[in-house]
Amino acid sequence: MLNTSLSLFLLRKLPLSRLDFPRWQSGLAITLIGLLIGLDPSLRAAPPDMPVPPLWLAVGMGLLTTWVAFLIIVGVLRWWMRRGGRWDGQGDLFNLVAASWLVADALGAGLSALGVAPLFTFPLWLYSVWVGANALSGAIPKASLGYSIGGIVLGLIPAMLASMVVFAVLGIVLAMLGVVPLPPPGAGPAGMG
């Protein structure tokens, strides 16, 4: 999978038959990306009057939201690529998306985990969309690059919304369990009261 991911990162077009590797490798790749996202110091940032969330919580949130986003994007792309007979459903779209994410997203998440400012990692995240669209259009010849970008952007919308819901629900549950404290009464965003 690593050679395939590197080829996709370098914008080489590969047929879907090249993505016939065990799914556990794709699962490991997505888990690695989620782990690196969870190590981002900004996930543990807290206002001065609040305790810092534990590292295990940030890593768990990174893993959970990455997997939720990945599965939603794969689901949207499965529907999107079948529209207009562009894709017959043959081949492993799950592996294709995971392989296209591995290098660019691991680099972006790794740099974020090291504390690199989002301003400097944002171009890498944009490049990740380009890599994914190039991989889709290369593996599915009837899907143009623009159509593939549209599918990825369309998948990102519900994926980001679902990630926000996961963060909110998990935050409420953990606060109710006493794992993380609730903000003081009357405190609003950014410590405004």
Side-chain angles (χ1 to χ4, degrees), residues 29-113:
I30 299 307
T31 301
L32 171 67
I33 294 166
L35 176 68
L36 291 170
I37 286 172
L39 293 173
D40 184 343
S42 68
L43 289 180
R44 296 186 64 218
D49 58 338
M50 298 288 290
V52 175
L55 180 61
W56 66 264
L57 179 60
V59 169
M61 294 292 279
L63 287 167
L64 184 60
T65 56
T66 300
W67 269 103
V68 166
F70 175 76
L71 293 173
I72 289 172
I73 289 169
V74 169
V76 169
L77 287 173
R78 188 173 309 283
W79 163 77
W80 183 255
M81 290 298 159
R82 286 184 176 200
R83 292 180 67 235
R86 286 176 179 79
W87 179 48
D88 60 5
Q90 300 300 312
D92 200 332
L93 195 60
F94 185 95
N95 281 354
L96 173 67
V97 176
S100 72
W101 280 26
L102 180 57
V103 177
D105 288 22
L107 281 173
L111 290 172
S112 294

Side-chain angles (χ1 to χ4, degrees), residues 123-142:
L124 198 50
W125 295 112
L126 285 179
Y127 185 68
S128 176
V129 172
W130 189 263
V131 169
N134 190 68
L136 285 166
S137 66
I140 303 170
K142 291 182 182 177

Side-chain angles (χ1 to χ4, degrees), residues 1 6 10 12 16 19 29 38 50 53-54 72 85 95 103 105-106 109 128 133 137 145 148 156 168 172 192:
M1 176 184 185
L6 191 55
L10 297 173
R12 294 191 181 117
L16 275 171
L19 298 151
M50 298 288 290
I72 289 172
N95 281 354
V103 177
D105 288 22
S128 176
S137 66
L145 184 63
S148 298
L156 281 171
I172 291 168
M192 297 165 40

